[in-house]
Amino acid sequence: MDIILNKYFQSLGLAAGQHVIVHSSFGEIKKAFTEVTIENLVRNLQQLITPNGSLVMPAFTYCYKRSDGTHEVFNYVQSQSKVGAVSEVFRQQDKVLRTSSPTHSFSLWGKAAEIISQKNSPASPLGKGSVLDWMNSRKNAYVLLIGVDFNALSFGHYLENMAPVPWTDISPWDYLKVEKAGVSITGEQKLKELPGCSKPFKNFEKFLLEKKLIEYHSLNHLKSLLVSMELLYKEGLRYFHLYQDELLCPEGTCVPCDCRREKIRILHNTAGPKGSLLEKCSKKKV
Ligand SMILES: [Zn+2]
């Protein structure tokens, strides 16, 4: 199994010394490699990247403060990752360091774990000062998608913050009674920018595919992609400036995106029929 996986990752372009953030679906991986375990997978990624590079995965828990007091409290040792089986196993492995953001912690191995503090928890969890910001400052940084697409692209939220898009500091989560703060066992932390819906990042993906700047690698129905952050950042800043209409879901199809759209209209005094969308945003029961 190790030899097969090793060859597969090499064919994607994975190499020693790269700093790689991995988003994956273990269910999709199992369809192509039926014998694989999560431990196989992580070991192979580490062997190829080596400790001179970095293996990074999100371990997000979304422990936002809620005004009705129903929030979970983040504990960086115990809180399970809510972004998939691979990330949950990885965060508990030897020599893996988990950062402290109550909402968007990351698990780090290799160089990133040596350099980034376990206390890393910026007010903009996926923006300035975040693990993504550190990766983007390196020459050799990559995003690896295994069996997932740009829907899983955390770096898309980084681009929203950096472009910036007009809704970057507007919370889309009022309808969940979310406040702009994270809660952990060490207390509350005020947040500046709350990542929202990632579905529209598929439009950015389509743009890159049409321009032939990226190409998925297909094997036994498993689609994977290794793409440099340099390319994503360069093309992303331009795309996120020029095509802002493509970066919120179509009106009426997504509550978080509608809330952001309506709040921007109110800021610009161009709101729709009184109370229409905003009413829905703040009162929807979940
Ligand atoms: Zn949306």
Side-chain angles (χ1 to χ4, degrees), residues 57-197:
M57 290 189 204
F60 303 163
T61 50
Y62 313 111
C63 294
Y64 290 110
K65 185 179 182 186
R66 294 187 188 220
S67 57
D68 61 1
T70 60
H71 45 259
E72 290 175 45
V73 176
F74 176 70
N75 175 328
Y76 82 89
V77 178
Q78 290 169 3
S79 294
Q80 290 190 2
S81 163
K82 293 187 177 170
V83 285
V86 178
S87 76
E88 175 56 13
V89 170
F90 177 61
R91 80 164 182 93
Q92 299 178 80
Q93 286 194 333
D94 223 22
K95 295 183 182 167
V96 172
L97 177 143
R98 185 192 207 176
T99 60
S100 295
S101 167
T103 57
H104 296 80
S105 62
F106 287 88
S107 303
L108 319 171
W109 176 89
K111 271 281 172 276
E114 280 176 34
I115 298 171
I116 298 174
S117 165
Q118 187 272 318
K119 292 185 175 145
N120 179 278
S121 182
S124 178
L126 301 180
K128 211 159 175 41
S130 68
V131 170
L132 295 176
D133 196 33
W134 179 85
M135 291 187 78
N136 194 47
S137 72
R138 316 293 292 200
K139 278 205 173 80
N140 214 4
Y142 291 82
V143 175
L144 175 59
L145 304 176
I146 320 171
V148 295
D149 59 26
F150 272 39
N151 230 324
L153 187 77
S154 302
F155 195 73
H157 295 298
Y158 180 74
L159 292 170
E160 285 183 306
N161 291 332
M162 293 296 135
V165 292
W167 55 82
T168 180
D169 57 355
I170 295 178
S171 170
W173 306 118
D174 288 0
Y175 74 97
L176 297 176
K177 299 185 169 34
V178 161
E179 296 188 5
K180 283 176 98 172
V183 187
S184 74
I185 50 168
T186 56
E188 284 180 27
Q189 181 190 8
K190 281 214 164 80
L191 299 177
K192 185 170 174 279
E193 286 150 343
L194 272 52
C197 175

Side-chain angles (χ1 to χ4, degrees), residues 197 199-200 248-249 254 257:
C197 175
K199 283 183 230 152
L248 290 174
C249 293
C254 170
C257 288

